[in-house]
Amino acid sequence: MNRIAFFICIGLIALILSGCWDSQLLTTKKIVNGISFDAGENQKFLGAVRTVILESKGGGQFDVKDEFKQAEGASPSIIASRIDTMLPGTVEISKTHVVILGDTLAKKDIFSPLEAIIRNPKGYLQSHLLISKGKASEILAYRKIENNPVAFGIKQILDGAEHSTLVQDQTIYSVWSQVYDSGGDLVVPLVRKLNESALVIDGIALMQGSRYSGVSLIGEDATLLLLMNGKLGKIASLNIPVQQNLVTFQVRKLKQKLKVSVNQRTSAVECTVKVELYGAIQYYPSELGIDIDREQLSKKIVASINAQAAEVIRQMLQANCDALGIGRHLSIHYPRLWKKMNWKDKYKEANVKPDFRIHIQSTGLLN
């Protein structure tokens, strides 16, 4: 027993006294939590970072500083080296919350600036990727958001937009793994400044492979495309004009099915997107206190949503963005035809129709 007690004591002492041999003080690290890239002049890149710097006040107290630095260079690696010379201590990029690409740069290619992060062993592949309307550096240079570091504030706004089904979250890893899928295209969250008074994330950028098409969907148009793709955050609110009224329908559950077929005579691609939405009426002022005919109201809502969804599909086809993954279905169910066709040319000619169904599960306490 004495020997057992002795070895237990030795083990406890080793645990207590052991330390990390390669540990570094937090005060010597400059933690990068936000990165942006823009197109510079003469084929160069303009890069910027937001860093969190901890300064010791003594007694275990710290001051937190959120600093903005930017530089220009022929490659992201050169930019990183130049910014590194502006910051004392060790620069740490493994905690980066967001990476933002300016729309001008994203229209050329999104991977040329991201490659350095992907290749870096310390690069954080779970960083959230966004495309900015205008210069990304102006987004990252924004003032503090509710006393939080800017990059962290942007991540919080992104989380809220994903919760409300306004965007589909994309990380560097998810983009890297999906962009080479010839049977579908990405949508990436879009961030913009609102009258110099706020940052807003309420839309998606439609991609053509690894390039931004220049077409974006904002607000409910973005939500409808995500619902047609079977994506639902926690909730989704749709404000639907019904005759002279406005009805707000909150989606809490959905079922989605994509039906793709090929006309054997003309080889025309036909697609129907069936979406069933389950939820509650949140706003219907004209029927306050009166029993609602759910069946009649559902028909009116469906007619309005299908019309709006048809316009969203038109923009998606115009952008040549196969966000619904129609090509993937073709490659699986019509492999011989898929090998023969040039999908990017054929895609714009596809006949895509929305088919929404509404299930009103609640009309509120008043009814």
Side-chain angles (χ1 to χ4, degrees), residues 97-128:
H97 291 306
V98 294
V99 177
I100 308 171
L101 305 180
D103 55 3
T104 301
L105 178 61
K107 289 174 184 176
K108 298 178 181 178
D109 182 62
I110 64 172
F111 278 130
S112 51
L114 297 180
E115 185 179 357
I117 298 175
I118 295 170
R119 291 183 181 276
N120 190 330
K122 293 184 178 181
Y124 189 44
L125 297 184
Q126 294 303 317
S127 299
H128 303 277

Side-chain angles (χ1 to χ4, degrees), residues 31 110 140 144 166 182 219 225 236 243 270 283 293 307 342 351:
I31 302 171
I110 64 172
L140 206 60
K144 284 188 176 182
L166 288 167
S182 59
L225 180 56
Q243 295 175 343
E270 299 176 353
Y283 182 74
D293 187 332
N342 185 330
N351 183 16

Side-chain angles (χ1 to χ4, degrees), residues 10-28:
I10 292 296
L12 290 173
I13 292 171
L15 287 172
I16 294 170
L17 296 181
S18 63
C20 183
W21 63 271
D22 63 347
S23 64
Q24 290 180 298
L25 293 173
L26 283 175
T27 52
T28 66

Side-chain angles (χ1 to χ4, degrees), residues 212-249:
Y212 171 36
S213 67
V215 178
S216 60
L217 299 175
I218 304 298
E220 288 184 16
D221 287 346
T223 299
L224 282 176
L225 180 56
L226 294 176
L227 293 175
M228 285 190 284
N229 203 15
K231 307 294 183 182
L232 175 65
K234 293 295 182 181
I235 59 169
S237 294
L238 300 174
N239 298 300
I240 306 138
V242 175
Q243 295 175 343
Q244 302 300 318
N245 301 307
L246 186 70
V247 178
T248 300
F249 181 73

Side-chain angles (χ1 to χ4, degrees), residues 181 183-185 229 258 260 322-330 343 347:
D181 178 6
D185 287 309
N229 203 15
L258 193 65
V260 180
D322 185 8
L324 299 179
I326 300 171
R328 192 177 303 112
H329 283 257
L330 284 173
W343 179 232
Y347 172 66

Side-chain angles (χ1 to χ4, degrees), residues 178-190:
Q178 294 176 61
V179 78
Y180 295 113
D181 178 6
S182 59
D185 287 309
L186 294 166
V187 295
V188 177
L190 187 72

Side-chain angles (χ1 to χ4, degrees), residues 269-290:
V269 177
E270 299 176 353
C271 175
T272 302
V273 190
K274 295 185 176 182
V275 185
E276 294 190 48
L277 303 179
Y278 300 80
I281 298 297
Q282 295 289 307
Y283 182 74
Y284 193 16
S286 67
E287 300 294 331
L288 196 62
I290 301 174

